[in-house]
Amino acid sequence: MTAELVRGQNHTLPQTRLEIRVSAGTPVVAGATLGDERGTVHGIEWIAHPGSPQLPGVEVSKQAAADHRLAVDLDAVPAAVHRVTVLLALPMEVGGPVRFGAVAAPFVAVTGLEGTEIATFTLTGLDAESAVAALELYRRQGDWKVRAVGQGYAGGLAAMLADQGVTGAAELARSIHEAVARGMARSVAPPPPRTPEGDRVRHTAGIGEPAPPVAPPAGPAPTRPPAATGPTADSTAGGPTAGPSAGPGTGPISYAHPRRQATAPPPTAPPAEPGRPAQPVAGDATGWSMEERLYNQVWGMFEDLARTTAAYRSAVDFAESRMDQELDRALSDPRNRIGGAGDRARQEARAKRDQLTDRAREALDRDLAQLAAESAVVEPALPAAFAAWDNPVWHAYRVPMEIPMALRIGDLHLPENSDLHIPLLVRLPLERGIWVDSGRTASEAAALTDTDRLRRLAMDNAVAHAARLLAVYPAGEFSVHVIDAAGSAAAALAPLVNSGVLAGPPAAGAGGVASVLARLTRRVDLVQMAIRAGAADSLPPDLDTAEQLLIVNDFPHGFDDRAVTQLRYLADEGPSVGVHLLMVADREDASAYGPVLDPLWRSLLRITPVADDHLADPWVGHAWTYEPLGMPAGSRVLEQVLAQVAAARRTGRRP
């Protein structure tokens, strides 16, 4: 039975391998500190936080999120540790809420690895506090207990760490917030919350077939959901499971992630043979339209792949950790260090490691096969806004009557299966600008590409994104401006210039830069004033009310300090009033500005013209390889699409 704790109440823990599950409704930073009998934290090496997420027996999330899964193995914490305190803090450098009184009360649950709740605590009564010690796990006469703390700190993370005896608490808190800001900047924004009616439905694979057991993780799969995670496998030892109802070593792999419902297959789905997975179907999600169902399905595939990979990596880490522990125990006896006993111990430990790893890989391969089968039927069914350039849907393109839900800007994949690509969809209208990084990154593809070609590929990539945006908006509802101060992108811009879809010729030189920025800044100011005054119908007649996109090539060439300030203003304030930024830049070129431009880079979604593993998912924080959408060799689909857009703009109607 679950113990519902109130502030100050404690409860005995029946086991030592636990998950701490946090639900906050808004992104929060989750961390943990290890303290002695008095609760004193002896140095930064006793603090787990997003910049340093692992400690012996504790692992926390690598980034801020609304939901967290922290893994705790109390048998593995050092003997000197008597308290494990779970900390929550609001991110301070990302423009979100700055006090817990402005957000929903965080909810914390202590659960077993199978998902059964042991104790819960809702942190009510918080107001000006921006950090809180949520609960603590503590030793008492050889047993472990949990206490609901709920101690908030108006002084934030620094005050909370100082209260626990941490030296240099302010500097540490600052570094944690900076790490969180960097992590949120590289994270793909999750889709907006959906009501149960909008949840996606996935079929269960292998009905009636037991999944192979997978070892429990050494660290957490920190974002595993409470009941059904997708996709993971059952465990014989309390590891990743399909849910609390799954018995040891039994039950199918579950493809249900949080907020999904287990329902019957849609009527269009072919019947599954007994003992075989149901055949995947495009649009296998709920929604008001086929577009919404496909959008939800793609995001469900993204989350499923993130979670099943997390479960696999966690199981492999556990297998390695257990092998090391068994070897340490066996070889700590001097009698086993000579003769054949030591060799036999090593062989047995490695054999167990290999067995656990093979079982984990078998479960992963099964999940990947199901996701690959789903991808094979979803890709051909995607609408133009979600489709790659080689999809036949582009050959039947017509200017749309309404704005789509989202736009595809590339593909994502993980090293466990580089052939399984997930479309990267961003919501429309764009909620943040895009930065195409033309610099030499650490990726292998960038290292093999010379600097001039990288810059050309980056601009080609930006032009393709601009063309997609023009193509998916109704005629006359999207305008594109270009700043090419040095005129170096004439060849790449040719499709946009020759088709006549630009709002004006590309701006060159310092005068052109100033003119375009002044015009767009004026638009942002006027629309904001009209919205605040409730007088949207009083805008000047010469103001273009269509969504605006500004392409900036080779930043900061041609920009003085005033122009840089205006660009930062557009990046911050523009998206809310329909002005969006698409920058092509090498950050090294702007290094003279130092940290002044850090907020600008963080505000933009960074993508690359070649494959690069810099993006993170919002659930687990894997490093995903981003690949830009390539144009088929010899294809003229870009020119054909832009010609239709231009024709619709000239005639004022949709063909």
Side-chain angles (χ1 to χ4, degrees), residues 462-485:
V463 168
H465 291 313
R468 276 181 164 264
L469 285 163
L470 284 164
V472 302
Y473 271 78
E477 294 190 16
F478 198 85
S479 297
V480 178
H481 310 261
V482 176
I483 290 178
D484 183 23

Side-chain angles (χ1 to χ4, degrees), residues 7 12 51 58 86 94 140 191 212 243 247 255 287 294 339 376 396 404 430 448 517 592 595 623:
R7 188 175 278 105
T12 300
V58 178
V86 176
V94 296
R140 179 63 55 84
Y255 283 88
L294 287 168
L430 294 173
L448 297 175
L517 292 176

Side-chain angles (χ1 to χ4, degrees), residues 351-372:
K352 289 180 182 178
R353 186 271 315 272
D354 293 342
Q355 182 183 33
L356 293 173
T357 302
D358 290 345
R359 288 177 178 175
R361 185 71 211 195
E362 182 181 349
L364 175 69
D365 288 343
R366 184 178 178 182
D367 295 349
L368 293 177
Q370 180 73 1
L371 286 168

Side-chain angles (χ1 to χ4, degrees), residues 7-8 121 123-124 126 129 132-135 147-153:
R7 188 175 278 105
F121 176 41
L123 285 77
T124 58
L126 298 176
E129 299 89 345
V132 59
L135 53 78
R147 178 186 290 119
V149 180
Q151 175 64 53
Y153 293 83

Side-chain angles (χ1 to χ4, degrees), residues 47-132:
I47 304 173
H49 56 82
S52 178
Q54 290 183 322
L55 293 178
V58 178
E59 185 168 351
V60 303
S61 304
K62 298 179 181 178
Q63 59 192 41
D67 298 291
H68 291 273
R69 301 290 184 268
L70 284 63
V72 178
D73 183 356
L74 296 172
D75 289 335
V77 299
V81 172
H82 287 258
R83 295 187 192 180
V84 178
T85 304
V86 176
L87 315 176
L88 303 178
L90 292 169
M92 290 289 102
E93 300 183 13
V94 296
V98 296
R99 62 187 187 90
F100 275 109
V103 301
F107 174 80
V108 184
V110 181
T111 77
L113 293 180
E114 76 287 353
T116 303
E117 289 185 347
I118 299 169
T120 63
F121 176 41
T122 301
L123 285 77
T124 58
L126 298 176
D127 186 13
E129 299 89 345
S130 60
V132 59

Side-chain angles (χ1 to χ4, degrees), residues 22-280:
V22 178
S23 179
T26 190
V28 296
V29 181
T33 60
L34 306 183
D36 61 16
E37 291 178 333
R38 297 183 178 181
T40 303
V41 178
H42 295 277
I44 60 174
E45 65 276 7
W46 280 28
I47 304 173
H49 56 82
S52 178
Q54 290 183 322
L55 293 178
V58 178
E59 185 168 351
V60 303
S61 304
K62 298 179 181 178
Q63 59 192 41
D67 298 291
H68 291 273
R69 301 290 184 268
L70 284 63
V72 178
D73 183 356
L74 296 172
D75 289 335
V77 299
V81 172
H82 287 258
R83 295 187 192 180
V84 178
T85 304
V86 176
L87 315 176
L88 303 178
L90 292 169
M92 290 289 102
E93 300 183 13
V94 296
V98 296
R99 62 187 187 90
F100 275 109
V103 301
F107 174 80
V108 184
V110 181
T111 77
L113 293 180
E114 76 287 353
T116 303
E117 289 185 347
I118 299 169
T120 63
F121 176 41
T122 301
L123 285 77
T124 58
L126 298 176
D127 186 13
E129 299 89 345
S130 60
V132 59
L135 53 78
E136 66 180 12
L137 314 176
Y138 65 98
R139 274 191 234 255
R140 179 63 55 84
Q141 297 177 349
D143 295 326
W144 283 94
K145 296 184 177 183
V146 56
R147 178 186 290 119
V149 180
Q151 175 64 53
Y153 293 83
L157 191 58
M160 180 165 54
L161 294 174
D163 192 42
Q164 297 187 24
V166 178
T167 303
E171 292 76 10
L172 177 59
R174 188 179 306 112
S175 68
I176 292 173
H177 284 304
E178 289 174 354
V180 170
R182 289 193 299 269
M184 295 185 74
R186 61 186 285 267
S187 177
V188 178
R194 298 191 296 274
T195 62
E197 290 76 12
D199 291 343
R200 175 170 173 260
V201 177
R202 288 290 301 274
H203 304 316
T204 301
I207 299 297
E209 294 182 5
V214 178
T223 54
R224 266 191 285 120
T229 68
T232 62
D234 297 322
S235 170
T236 59
T241 66
S245 62
T250 63
I253 295 174
S254 170
Y255 283 88
H257 67 63
R259 302 186 306 275
R260 291 204 203 151
Q261 306 166 5
T263 64
T268 55
E273 299 178 18
R276 294 180 62 84
Q279 294 299 311

Side-chain angles (χ1 to χ4, degrees), residues 180-558:
V180 170
R182 289 193 299 269
M184 295 185 74
R186 61 186 285 267
S187 177
V188 178
R194 298 191 296 274
T195 62
E197 290 76 12
D199 291 343
R200 175 170 173 260
V201 177
R202 288 290 301 274
H203 304 316
T204 301
I207 299 297
E209 294 182 5
V214 178
T223 54
R224 266 191 285 120
T229 68
T232 62
D234 297 322
S235 170
T236 59
T241 66
S245 62
T250 63
I253 295 174
S254 170
Y255 283 88
H257 67 63
R259 302 186 306 275
R260 291 204 203 151
Q261 306 166 5
T263 64
T268 55
E273 299 178 18
R276 294 180 62 84
Q279 294 299 311
V281 177
D284 183 13
T286 53
W288 292 107
S289 65
M290 186 61 172
E291 179 192 49
E292 184 178 0
R293 292 196 295 271
L294 287 168
Y295 173 82
N296 291 340
Q297 188 171 15
V298 167
W299 269 95
M301 293 164 58
F302 186 12
E303 184 172 356
D304 283 349
L305 183 54
R307 293 190 185 280
T308 193
T309 304
Y312 166 72
R313 292 179 181 178
S314 193
V316 170
D317 288 345
F318 168 77
E320 294 286 348
S321 175
R322 195 173 84 165
M323 181 187 70
D324 292 340
Q325 292 174 7
E326 290 179 350
L327 287 175
D328 288 343
R329 284 195 298 267
L331 300 180
S332 63
D333 186 344
R335 293 172 296 181
N336 292 336
R337 297 176 190 168
I338 57 175
D343 292 338
R344 285 194 300 272
R346 292 186 187 92
Q347 291 174 358
E348 290 174 1
R350 288 167 182 158
K352 289 180 182 178
R353 186 271 315 272
D354 293 342
Q355 182 183 33
L356 293 173
T357 302
D358 290 345
R359 288 177 178 175
R361 185 71 211 195
E362 182 181 349
L364 175 69
D365 288 343
R366 184 178 178 182
D367 295 349
L368 293 177
Q370 180 73 1
L371 286 168
E374 185 174 13
S375 177
V377 299
V378 168
E379 276 285 354
L382 295 176
F386 300 177
W389 285 114
D390 58 358
N391 191 308
V393 70
W394 284 105
H395 296 289
Y397 168 77
R398 293 292 182 269
V399 176
M401 301 288 289
E402 59 183 19
I403 302 171
M405 290 184 62
L407 183 77
R408 185 173 183 168
I409 62 170
D411 289 339
L412 299 171
H413 65 81
L414 291 171
E416 281 76 6
N417 188 338
S418 58
D419 294 329
L420 178 55
H421 286 209
I422 303 295
L424 175 55
L425 304 180
V426 295
R427 294 280 293 191
L428 293 180
L430 294 173
E431 297 171 347
R432 61 192 292 199
I434 297 175
W435 164 31
V436 185
D437 190 350
S438 60
R440 186 172 297 282
T441 63
S443 72
E444 180 180 357
L448 297 175
T449 309
D450 65 68
T451 302
D452 290 340
R453 177 161 175 75
L454 273 176
R455 293 179 183 272
R456 172 60 192 266
L457 288 174
M459 196 60 201
D460 288 343
N461 195 261
V463 168
H465 291 313
R468 276 181 164 264
L469 285 163
L470 284 164
V472 302
Y473 271 78
E477 294 190 16
F478 198 85
S479 297
V480 178
H481 310 261
V482 176
I483 290 178
D484 183 23
S488 59
L493 290 168
L496 297 177
V497 174
N498 296 340
S499 62
V501 295
L502 294 178
V513 171
S515 175
V516 172
L517 292 176
R519 189 161 61 250
L520 291 177
T521 300
R522 171 179 175 268
R523 183 193 183 282
V524 171
D525 290 340
L526 289 175
V527 174
Q528 283 186 336
M529 287 189 292
I531 292 174
R532 285 194 293 266
D537 56 350
S538 63
L539 290 169
D542 64 332
L543 189 76
D544 184 2
T545 57
E547 296 275 318
Q548 310 287 313
L549 177 71
L550 173 60
I551 303 175
V552 178
N553 180 47
D554 209 15
F555 175 81
H557 185 82

